[in-house]
């Protein structure tokens, strides 16, 4: 429920949507408004500082011939930089951007590209909060009341102080899984727990379908 008294409803299928909408229309005090879908967002991590928005866009397009084809002749309409945040390595930054579905799929599918011989990683930004103190989903470190928990092994220490040679995901360990299936960190985007949470968090307001070029 929003402050404006609005309620977002997610439907299981079109049949359920029809039944619920029919009931809502029978109540004159209620109104139905279709959500306007926005384009999906992605994060490019580890970019060396110094790129302007135009320079970054040009570097991404020129990375592979197939990307140039996907971006088409109006790339600025298909890819928009939203914000930049400095990495722990202060010479680098993470860049959040919004892209049309075809461009988004082409970039996220690659997972990594090279900008001036420097490898950067690309993944979808879904807004799923992960606490970098206790490494649980649903809140950020600013609001965490728990003691530190290592994202590598789950021990009571910060990840930078971990001396374990092999990772042992603390989140996946709580699922009763076999030890050999936990050989990744809590920050790994390939973690089954992350994938499960991400699937639950897929916003109905995001347009993942193809759009016509203009």
């Amino acid at each position: 429920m929003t402050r404006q008294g609005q309620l977002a409803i997610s439907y299981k299928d079109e049949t359920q949507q029809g039944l619920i909408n029919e009931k809502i229309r029978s109540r004159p005090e209620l109104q139905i408004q279709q959500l306007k879908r926005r384009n999906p967002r992605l994060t490019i991590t580890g970019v060396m500082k110094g790129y302007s928005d135009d320079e970054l866009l040009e570097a991404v397009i020129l990375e592979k011939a197939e990307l140039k084809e996907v971006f088409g002749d109006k790339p600025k309409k298909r890819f928009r930089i939203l914000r930049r945040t400095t990495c722990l390595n202060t010479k680098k930054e993470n860049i959040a951007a919004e892209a049309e579905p075809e461009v988004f799929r082409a970039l996220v599918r690659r997972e990594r590209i090279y900008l001036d011989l420097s490898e950067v990683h690309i993944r979808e930004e879904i807004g799923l909060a992960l606490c970098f103190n206790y490494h649980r989903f649903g809140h950020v470190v600013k609001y965490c009341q728990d003691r530190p928990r290592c994202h590598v092994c789950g021990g009571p220490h910060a990840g930078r102080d971990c001396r374990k040679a092999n990772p042992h995901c603390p989140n996946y360990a709580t699922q009763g899984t076999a030890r050999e299936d936990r050989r990744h960190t809590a920050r790994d985007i390939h973690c089954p727990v992350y994938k499960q949470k991400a699937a639950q968090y897929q916003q109905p307001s995001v347009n993942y379908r193809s759009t016509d070029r203009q």
Side-chain angles (χ1 to χ4, degrees), residues 3 6 12 17 28 35-36 89 117 143 174 181 198 202:
R3 294 179 181 178
Q6 298 174 330
K12 181 175 65 175
Q17 179 180 1
L35 282 174
K36 183 178 180 181
N89 178 349
L117 303 181
Y143 303 106
T174 63
D181 294 332
Q202 292 296 318

Side-chain angles (χ1 to χ4, degrees), residues 61-114:
I61 293 173
L62 295 177
E63 208 270 338
K64 285 289 182 182
E66 63 193 63
L67 291 179
K68 185 176 182 180
E69 181 178 349
V70 172
F71 273 92
D73 57 357
K74 295 182 179 179
K76 290 184 180 180
K77 289 188 175 182
R78 312 202 76 201
F79 182 90
R80 180 170 64 94
I81 293 175
L82 302 174
R83 63 182 179 277
R84 299 166 181 255
T85 55
T86 300
C87 299
L88 291 176
N89 178 349
T90 56
K91 294 181 179 180
K92 296 183 178 183
E93 60 185 354
N94 297 332
I95 298 177
E98 187 173 275
E100 289 190 357
E102 297 90 340
V103 173
F104 167 80
R105 287 196 297 270
L107 291 173
V108 171
R109 186 165 52 240
R110 293 190 64 82
E111 292 189 351
R112 59 177 63 86
I113 60 175
Y114 288 88

Side-chain angles (χ1 to χ4, degrees), residues 43-49 51 56 59-60 63 87 92-95 107 110-123:
T43 301
I44 307 175
T45 61
V47 180
M48 293 298 297
K49 287 185 175 180
Y51 287 96
L56 178 68
V60 170
E63 208 270 338
C87 299
K92 296 183 178 183
E93 60 185 354
N94 297 332
I95 298 177
L107 291 173
R110 293 190 64 82
E111 292 189 351
R112 59 177 63 86
I113 60 175
Y114 288 88
L115 301 179
D116 293 336
L117 303 181
S118 178
E119 184 183 67
V120 300
H121 295 261
I122 302 175
R123 66 180 182 181

